[in-house]
Every structure is written in structure tokens, then in C-alpha cells.
Amino acid sequence: MAIESIIELNEQNIVQSGCFCLRSNPHATGYINKSNWLYQRFHEGLKYKKIMDNNKQAGFIEYTPIEYSSRVVFGENYVVIHCLWVSMTGKGYASQLIDSCLEDAKNQQKSGVIVITNPNSSWVPSKQIFLKHNFKEVEQAPNGFELLVYKFKNAPNPYFPNDWDKRLASYQELTVFRTPQCPFVDIATDNVVEAAKKLGIHAEIIDVQNREELLRLSPTPYGVYGVIYKGKLLAFHRLTVHSAIKRLKALQK
């Protein structure tokens, strides 16, 4: 019989317990950066919870108050889910993690919980599981992004910016926009830079310093990672070097 438990990471146990993300390579730069980033965020109210199945990591959820979120969404007194991922499906683990988040946010007297979804990439949650938990879709953004919310009280809806085209148009050179919230960002950046070098293209990297900069500059609601070239979104998730070359060549024409 499976023995299930949820472990919440904190400053005391993060080194010993470790995070779920990129757990297969704890010596990777991305994993180390992610662990350091988490350690620095706990005091802001960020929560990172792993669900365990017979002492094996089976999934996790990460969420934080909106004023510290790495997602490009506006609102007041909300919690934002950054990530939800389970490696053992069909056991209800995703539902348990969502329920844990909802209960926590309600106890904090938040107005509700926000999640940004997208059906086009596994880097961003898909909305079906959240709809089953009575989240409501309130807005969409280009490139498949959806804004869902679960409310505990009557409150104004969260909302996206409405200047996505203008943001993209401001990046004509190849630009990588990134934050350390995701441990795969380093790998994703390296692949794009390598592809660009093969084509003789210089890549500019913007490391986001704070939420104000994120809200103002990010090319998508995802916020964590975006690659722009000639005013077009090349990717908001990791590409192989080969895929990056193909997309860059297509935009060069």
C-alpha cells in the first residue's frame, strides 16, 4: 500500500530534502540556482510542497503571493500558482496538491488563487485539472496563455497587461528574457545561444532583477523565460539547438 505525505520545503530542510525540479542532476547550475532562489523566497510567503509516494518524490506545487510572483498578472490579495507537476499520474496527487494550496490561501484570508495555463507546452500547467477544481477562466493572452482564478470572496478579477504586441516590437535583436524561477532556464538559454552562434547572430540576455521589471518587460504572461527575435516570440520554453536554428532561420527570411 502506498504511503503518501506532503513535505513543505523551508530554510531548514531544503538542502536535505531537495526540490523536485531537475532532481535528476542536483549538481547542475540550474538546480543550484533554483535551490538558492527558493531559499531566498521563503520569507516572502512562497510555498513549495512535494508529495511523496513511499518516500519517492511523486510531484510538487509551488505558489506565492501575487506581489512576489514570477507570472505577469495584476491583482490584489491573490496567491499565484507557479508550477504543478506530478510524475505518478492517476493517483489524485495533483488534486491533493491543489487542495493544499487552496486551503492554505483561504486560511491566509486571500481573495483567491490564480494560475496561468497553456495547452501548448508542458512548461506551463494545462487548465483541465483546475477547471475540475472550480477555477474559472477569466482572460486569454497571445500564444495560448489562459488566466484562471478560484475566488473565496467577491473581489475584482486578476488581469493580464494588454500591450503584448508593443512589448515584442521593442525587441528586434535576438533577446533572451529570463528569471531564475525555473531550473531549466540555463539549459534553454545555452541551446538558443549555441544556435545563434551557428547562424552568426548575437544573443542579448536580460536577467530580470525584480517584479516591477518583470511586469514591464516580459513578452508573455509566463514571465520566467522568453526568446524574441525581430519583434516575434521565438519561444517561451526550452528548444533543442536544432529547433532553435529552424525558428531563427524562418524569422530571417
Side-chain angles (χ1 to χ4, degrees):
M1 178 180 293
I3 301 174
E4 304 163 13
S5 63
I6 293 179
I7 297 175
E8 180 176 330
L9 297 189
N10 54 44
E11 292 95 333
Q12 285 71 45
N13 68 8
I14 185 172
V15 174
Q16 179 180 0
S17 182
C19 65
F20 185 92
C21 315
L22 201 56
R23 64 198 183 283
S24 61
N25 190 1
H27 300 294
T29 301
Y31 182 92
I32 295 169
N33 289 345
K34 173 68 176 184
S35 295
N36 291 338
W37 183 86
L38 285 172
Y39 187 87
Q40 296 166 11
R41 301 281 84 79
F42 289 133
H43 75 280
E44 298 171 348
L46 180 139
K47 300 294 182 71
Y48 191 107
K49 299 178 179 180
K50 301 188 300 182
I51 193 161
M52 309 295 291
D53 182 308
N54 289 328
N55 293 319
K56 293 181 179 179
Q57 299 183 67
F60 82 104
I61 190 168
E62 177 183 311
Y63 58 91
T64 194
I66 190 169
E67 58 267 30
Y68 300 111
S69 174
S70 295
R71 302 294 178 265
V72 183
V73 58
F74 293 92
E76 292 186 10
N77 199 38
Y78 282 100
V79 161
V80 178
I81 295 174
H82 281 164
C83 306
L84 173 69
W85 181 261
V86 293
S87 57
M88 299 182 184
T89 59
K91 296 189 174 186
Y93 290 163
S95 291
Q96 289 184 47
L97 291 167
I98 292 171
D99 287 340
S100 176
C101 172
L102 291 174
E103 181 180 6
D104 188 8
K106 188 174 183 179
N107 289 340
Q108 293 182 50
Q109 298 185 325
K110 297 294 185 180
S111 296
V113 176
I114 293 167
V115 64
I116 293 172
T117 63
N118 193 307
N120 302 322
S121 171
S122 61
W123 272 39
V124 184
S126 57
K127 67 182 177 183
Q128 283 72 24
I129 185 66
F130 295 101
L131 295 177
K132 290 179 180 178
H133 283 262
N134 298 313
F135 281 70
K136 305 297 182 184
E137 184 175 333
V138 295
E139 195 173 342
Q140 295 183 347
N143 300 295
F145 289 99
E146 305 149 331
L147 178 57
L148 277 66
V149 63
Y150 183 109
K151 291 185 181 181
F152 301 119
K153 60 183 75 172
N154 186 21
N157 282 338
Y159 59 96
F160 287 143
N162 58 10
D163 62 344
W164 300 114
D165 289 342
K166 181 179 178 181
R167 291 172 184 234
L168 287 171
S170 65
Y171 300 103
Q172 292 300 312
E173 303 301 321
L174 178 61
T175 306
V176 178
F177 181 97
R178 66 182 188 177
T179 83
Q181 191 258 317
C182 176
F184 293 97
V185 161
D186 274 351
I187 301 170
T189 302
D190 289 345
N191 287 352
V192 168
V193 170
E194 182 179 344
K197 284 182 178 179
K198 290 180 181 295
L199 297 175
I201 301 172
H202 171 72
E204 186 74 23
I205 298 174
I206 298 177
D207 288 302
V208 181
Q209 301 301 313
N210 52 56
R211 178 159 170 80
E212 185 278 331
E213 190 173 78
L214 178 90
L215 291 175
R216 180 168 50 87
L217 298 178
S218 175
T220 76
Y222 182 49
V224 178
Y225 178 78
V227 184
I228 313 99
Y229 186 48
K230 296 187 181 297
K232 303 292 184 181
L233 183 69
L234 191 80
F236 63 88
H237 53 80
R238 182 176 57 180
L239 299 174
T240 64
V241 175
H242 178 71
S243 295
I245 288 174
K246 286 182 64 176
R247 296 193 184 193
L248 285 167
K249 282 183 176 180
L251 291 178
Q252 282 182 318
K253 295 178 180 179

